[in-house]
Amino acid sequence: MKKMSSNLLALAFCAASSAASALTLPADATCQATGDCLEFSDFTVYSLNFLNYKYGVPGNNTPFGVAASDGQIKDFVIFGTGSNNNDAVNNPSGMDDAYNTPEPGSGDQSFSTALSEPTDGPVGDVVGQWNANVADLRSFLGQSQLVTYFRFNEQGNGTDLDQQSLLIWAKVTLRDTVDSDGGGLLADKEFYLRTGASNAAPTTGIADIDPAVLDTNVAAYEPWVYVHSDICAGDIGSGKQFIHFGPCSVSEQNTLGFDTVPQNLGVNDAAFAVYNPELDDLIHASDYDFFDLDWQMLYVSGGAEAAWVQNDSIIPSTGVPEPATVALLGLGLLGLAGMRRKSAQ
């Protein structure tokens, strides 16, 4: 697993009010040591609302909120969104437009980039994947980091898979198709968001999965990653900490003062940020020609989920961060292969 650079990365983003503010991502080694983030194979995952809970105001999604409505992300590069707004699905030239994720009321419970391929795309587009010319993606990003944001907007009244949680798996491949320096083509480079040891794509579908099995066997359905709508957190002496996945029990709330922190934030706010430093470096400086994304989800409750990349300015770190910007906390995605760092549920 790759580690993030020890230098903190500062990402500037526009809030709903259009006022610029800064969102700071720490080195993943730092946040892992304190239990503040998780890695799923090659990617570090950060939960934005848990950071709000620990250092700000989660109900107001401050100070670490990222605007996520279709109108607010329409000028970025969008991998997929459940949107009827054409302005939110048209990407810059040299890349596929956004895939359509399941819309509310559609009844669709699964999503894959292998289905409903956008009709546009770069020359050399691979059917069944979201594709972009690396040069065009690099041009869009400028000096910004390649950080993917995920909008989590499941429907339902509970927190189970068939209500407000889901399963996800993703693979990014960088391909070299032109020997620009005469040294031969670069080997494909692959990055996975998965659980377990195998790089094979999921073979289980809705009909193969019993949600109740996950209560006792979190490794039952590798390589899927379980995305939880709620987590339980509380002050345990050293500050606010993650307690377990799923909502707090009544006794935990009433006796211990713990809090249920929602991560199913709706269409207006990003729930998670996902990052890999090596992938970021290769996008900004390498001879790779294509960026290919294979993205799959199960138990989607028609929530118009979205994933996108922003091109915001970078503010370099100048030293030790202030406590309020030490970590983004990525405890909303539960690894099905025992990724839980504390006792869960």
Side-chain angles (χ1 to χ4, degrees):
M1 291 184 288
K2 303 298 180 180
K3 297 298 180 183
M4 192 180 293
S5 166
S6 60
N7 292 327
L8 298 182
L9 305 175
L11 303 176
F13 66 93
C14 292
S17 63
S18 297
S21 56
L23 181 67
T24 302
L25 295 172
D28 61 353
T30 301
C31 61
Q32 285 186 78
T34 56
D36 293 343
C37 69
L38 293 177
E39 277 197 40
F40 294 93
S41 189
D42 300 312
F43 289 97
T44 301
V45 180
Y46 309 91
S47 170
L48 302 178
N49 206 35
F50 193 18
L51 179 65
N52 290 327
Y53 170 76
K54 191 167 185 177
Y55 298 118
V57 183
N60 294 330
N61 201 30
T62 57
F64 298 99
V66 175
S69 71
D70 290 329
Q72 291 165 319
I73 68 174
K74 65 183 179 65
D75 295 324
F76 301 135
V77 171
I78 306 172
F79 301 133
T81 179
S83 171
N84 291 318
N85 180 353
N86 290 331
D87 289 339
V89 297
N90 295 325
N91 282 323
S93 62
M95 57 191 75
D96 277 326
D97 281 342
Y99 273 78
N100 292 322
T101 62
E103 302 258 5
S106 68
D108 295 333
Q109 289 187 284
S110 61
F111 167 81
S112 173
T113 49
L115 304 174
S116 303
E117 167 82 7
T119 56
D120 65 327
V123 175
D125 189 8
V126 176
V127 175
Q129 300 174 348
W130 187 93
N131 306 110
N133 289 320
V134 169
D136 291 307
L137 188 55
R138 180 185 300 130
S139 177
F140 168 82
L141 288 170
Q143 296 301 309
S144 300
Q145 264 73 30
L146 180 74
V147 177
T148 298
Y149 293 99
F150 182 68
R151 184 175 76 195
F152 189 27
N153 182 44
E154 289 294 271
Q155 309 297 301
N157 297 319
T159 60
D160 296 334
L161 272 179
D162 57 353
Q163 295 163 331
Q164 291 192 43
S165 297
L166 56 75
L167 300 177
I168 194 168
W169 177 91
K171 170 187 174 183
V172 171
T173 304
L174 297 183
R175 288 185 290 127
D176 185 20
T177 59
V178 178
D179 185 7
S180 57
D181 59 5
L185 296 178
L186 297 171
D188 289 356
K189 187 68 177 178
E190 298 175 341
F191 301 86
Y192 291 87
L193 178 72
R194 60 157 173 77
T195 59
S198 173
N199 287 335
T203 57
T204 50
I206 292 289
D208 306 308
I209 293 177
D210 178 0
V213 171
L214 295 172
D215 292 335
T216 57
N217 183 5
V218 295
Y221 299 115
E222 297 173 354
W224 291 108
V225 176
Y226 195 122
V227 186
H228 280 263
S229 57
D230 289 338
I231 58 174
C232 182
D235 195 327
I236 55 174
S238 58
K240 294 178 179 178
Q241 301 292 327
F242 165 74
I243 306 300
H244 62 72
F245 296 98
C248 301
S249 67
V250 173
S251 62
E252 286 174 326
Q253 296 180 69
N254 295 341
T255 304
L256 301 176
F258 293 166
D259 300 293
T260 295
V261 178
Q263 301 188 109
N264 187 28
L265 301 185
V267 296
N268 293 323
D269 301 296
F272 303 106
V274 182
Y275 181 74
N276 178 282
E278 184 183 14
L279 175 59
D280 179 35
D281 289 343
L282 291 173
I283 291 296
H284 282 92
S286 76
D287 289 331
Y288 283 106
D289 299 307
F290 284 96
F291 174 104
D292 307 328
L293 171 65
D294 182 351
W295 169 23
Q296 301 182 37
M297 295 187 292
L298 283 184
Y299 281 95
V300 182
S301 298
E305 266 71 29
W308 70 96
V309 173
Q310 302 189 178
N311 58 344
D312 302 310
S313 300
I314 294 173
I315 306 171
S317 172
T318 56
V320 179
E322 294 298 321
T325 59
V326 167
L328 283 177
L329 309 178
L331 297 165
L333 294 177
L334 166 59
L336 300 184
M339 295 297 292
R340 294 181 293 182
R341 300 187 177 278
K342 297 181 184 290
S343 176
Q345 299 180 4

